[in-house]
Structure formats: C-alpha cells, structure tokens
Amino acid sequence: MCGKESSSTICASCYIERNEIVWLDDIIRLTTCPRCGFFRIGGRWKSVGYDEALTDALYSSLRVHPDFEVSDVEVGKEGGKYIVHISGSLWGEGVEVSKTFEARVTREICQRCSREAGGYYESIVQVRADGRDIEEEEFRAVREIIEAVLDKERENMKAFISKIVERKEGIDYYIGDRNIGRKISRRIAEELGGAITESKKISGRKDGRDVYRFTYSVRLPAYRKGDIVEQDGRLAVVTNPRLGKSVSIESGETINLKKPKLVARSSDVVKSVVINVDAAAIEVLHPVTHEVVTAVRPKASFRPGDEVYTFEYEGRVYVIPEELMRV
C-alpha cells in the first residue's frame, strides 16, 4: 500500500492506520471501601493503594493484537484523563500506540467493615490473671499482640475486633475469625506466660450444619517478673514468668516453677543497706520501720554498706543480693 518492503502482506504502519491493535475501555471503574480504604481487585477486597488498584484495573481492561509484542507500558495524566503509551513491535516493526481513559471511583462498604459494624464475631479471647488484677503493662502487651496478628491477617475479611468488654476479672476481645482468635490467644500465652482453655457453643445453623462460637481463655500466671515465690519450701525470685523460671534467693540456683506459692510482689521488695555482717548473720535496715534487724542471710558474700533488696515474710526479713533483681 505504501510501497515499503515488508515480510507481511501489509506493513505494520499501514495496518495500524486502518485497524486497531490496542483496545481499552474509555472508562475504568474502581471500587473502594470508604471505611477501611481497601479496593476490590479481581472480585476480592485487598489492602492496596489507588495507583496499584488503577494499574490492576488498567491491565484487566487492556487488550492487544495477538501479533503485537508489547515491550513497555507508560501511564500519564493530562487534563483529568489518563494517557497510556504502549510500545513494542508488530511483525518486526517498532510501533507505539496511545490510548486515553477516564478513571471513576465507586464507594462501597466491604464485607469486613459490614460484618464489623454489625457486631459479627466467631471467637472471644478472654484475658485473666490468676488471683490478681491484670497490670497495665500486660494490657499494653496484649493490645500490641492483637494489633500485630490483625495486621498480618489484613487480607482476611474477618480480621477485626467487633467489641471489647472490660470486666472486673479481666477483658474480653470479640474477634471476627475463630482461627485468628486462636492465634491471638497462643501468642499471648507464649509471650506473657499462662495457660489456655478452649470451649465452644452452638450459635446457629448454616447449610444444615451447626455453627459454633469459640472462647479462648488465657489465664496469666499469678506471679510476675521480680515477684517472690515459694517452690518446694525454697524462696525464689521470678526471672521469666513465661518459661516459669526463677532463681533461689539462698543459693542462686535456677528453679523451675510448678504451681508455686506467691510470697511477695515485686513492689513489696524494697532497697536496704547492709549494716553489719558475719559468718552466721546479716543486719540490715528493716524495709518498713528502718530499724536495724537481723535478716535471713543467703550464701552470697556481703560487706557493710552494700545495697541489697529486702522483703518480709512470716515475720522474718529476707535479703536478696542486688544482682538477682537484675536477672
């Protein structure tokens, strides 16, 4: 047609003048959730940005001639419309085609936000402490664990907390997915120590089958790091409540804790000063009255003027070497 030599019956330039080799919708529609900002991609809600969602929709709409070998696609914007520059080769000849399109965004509540707003849940994570109140530090650690698990499960349409209920004995988290509830409870027990009990009850029927809601109760141990406990008649400082580890006050040996008796909280252990010491006894200032008293001496060595930690138990004052409280 143009007289140029070509290996085909018509060269690429003449073919493009008379035929389309790229097809693209004039309007590309995006759907986003106004609550969480997720975009619907390929029929699923995903945590992606606008540019990534637009690129995915663009490639889903873009169609090219089977002989057009695309090497590069560039997207720009002019006057409120997007321009796509597509370059490559057709029958061995380099070609470039440009197309324009308009992007329109539709807002729609995603399935997860709809469920969350409706109070949907499949599991409850109950956090309790054995014989004591949960400390603020532990509440903070639990919140961080929950946030980390939910963030990792962002693509899960049930990864949310529908309700938080504070009770006298602890706190309950209502989780949208039962498996996420199980993961959270295990992480709490792994990081803070304690035991998990699992129970379930029927919440309804679906497709002829019973539907259950699960409760994961995490009971934190009665003792915390720095607390004083009694195990098999020996007093020890708790060093790792998660692993149930402690150090004997008398000998400095490691003691594995198995249902120990709580003797004193770390807040009850106070600093004192060694006044006098000999081979059989040690005198320190009483932690409350500040009078000089004879205390139960551990095997460690002391000198007058040394700073130590003390606590009172069953009418006797005990001395803890300073280094044990730093373990």
Side-chain angles (χ1 to χ4, degrees):
M1 296 184 71
C2 65
K4 183 171 59 177
E5 291 185 4
S6 174
S7 59
S8 304
T9 56
I10 184 172
C11 70
S13 300
C14 290
Y15 184 85
I16 292 174
E17 288 179 3
R18 294 160 178 80
N19 300 276
E20 295 282 357
I21 64 169
V22 174
W23 297 268
L24 182 65
D25 294 338
D26 294 333
I27 298 175
I28 292 181
R29 302 182 185 277
L30 305 177
T31 303
T32 184
C33 175
R35 290 190 59 181
C36 65
F38 277 34
F39 282 88
R40 193 205 300 276
I41 294 181
R44 298 181 58 187
W45 292 95
K46 293 187 177 182
S47 175
V48 298
Y50 174 82
D51 290 343
E52 185 175 346
L54 180 62
T55 300
D56 181 85
L58 169 62
Y59 279 102
S60 296
S61 173
L62 187 64
R63 301 175 303 282
V64 299
H65 190 282
D67 294 336
F68 184 20
E69 298 179 5
V70 177
S71 60
D72 188 40
V73 178
E74 293 183 358
V75 181
K77 192 174 184 181
E78 290 183 10
K81 284 194 174 184
Y82 291 90
I83 301 178
V84 185
H85 300 286
I86 306 160
S87 57
S89 64
L90 179 66
W91 305 319
E93 183 179 339
V95 297
E96 182 174 324
V97 179
S98 297
K99 290 287 183 178
T100 62
F101 70 91
E102 181 181 349
R104 295 182 183 177
V105 180
T106 301
R107 298 181 182 277
E108 177 185 326
I109 297 295
C110 70
Q111 188 179 27
R112 180 173 65 176
C113 290
S114 178
R115 284 172 169 169
E116 183 178 357
Y120 179 91
Y121 68 96
E122 292 182 359
S123 62
I124 305 173
V125 176
Q126 297 179 333
V127 183
R128 306 286 187 267
D130 191 9
R132 63 178 177 86
D133 293 333
I134 301 176
E135 299 179 7
E136 181 57 37
E137 179 185 348
E138 292 172 310
F139 279 127
R140 185 163 51 251
V142 169
R143 288 195 295 269
E144 291 175 355
I145 289 170
I146 293 175
E147 289 172 1
V149 172
L150 292 179
D151 185 65
K152 194 173 182 179
E153 298 281 344
R154 281 181 62 82
E155 302 295 339
N156 187 330
M157 287 292 98
K158 298 178 183 177
F160 57 83
I161 300 174
S162 60
K163 183 168 59 172
I164 300 175
V165 178
E166 296 185 11
R167 305 185 186 278
K168 182 180 180 181
E169 61 274 18
I171 190 166
D172 296 346
Y173 298 90
Y174 290 71
I175 310 297
D177 184 87
R178 73 176 189 179
N179 292 321
I180 291 179
R182 182 183 289 112
K183 288 180 183 179
I184 290 172
S185 62
R186 288 177 178 175
R187 282 279 303 275
I188 294 172
E190 288 172 0
E191 296 190 20
L192 301 182
I196 303 173
T197 57
E198 179 180 328
S199 61
K200 64 180 181 180
K201 66 178 182 179
I202 297 176
S203 62
R205 291 181 66 82
K206 183 178 181 180
D207 299 329
R209 301 176 61 183
D210 292 335
V211 177
Y212 293 90
R213 279 180 175 152
F214 291 76
T215 298
Y216 305 102
S217 182
V218 185
R219 184 163 290 275
L220 305 180
Y223 47 82
R224 295 277 290 147
K225 183 176 181 180
D227 289 347
I228 310 300
V229 296
E230 184 177 11
Q231 177 73 55
D232 300 327
R234 294 190 294 174
L235 296 178
V237 180
V238 177
T239 56
N240 191 324
R242 180 175 66 86
L243 299 177
K245 298 293 184 180
S246 66
V247 176
S248 169
I249 292 175
E250 180 183 5
S251 65
E253 298 175 336
T254 299
I255 299 177
N256 295 322
L257 301 177
K258 298 179 179 179
K259 296 183 179 180
K261 176 184 177 182
L262 181 64
V263 169
R265 294 288 182 198
S266 59
S267 57
D268 299 324
V269 180
V270 297
K271 275 191 173 183
S272 186
V273 178
V274 175
I275 302 300
N276 190 26
V277 62
D278 57 33
I282 182 172
E283 291 183 334
V284 296
L285 292 178
H286 191 281
V288 178
T289 65
H290 302 294
E291 297 176 350
V292 177
V293 295
T294 301
V296 178
R297 177 184 174 177
K299 292 182 180 179
S301 60
F302 300 94
R303 293 179 301 178
D306 285 349
E307 286 191 343
V308 293
Y309 286 87
T310 61
F311 69 96
E312 189 172 9
Y313 175 56
E314 294 184 344
R316 304 181 70 183
V317 175
Y318 289 82
V319 170
I320 305 175
E322 189 177 22
E323 57 269 19
L324 286 190
M325 297 301 295
R326 296 198 300 265
V327 176

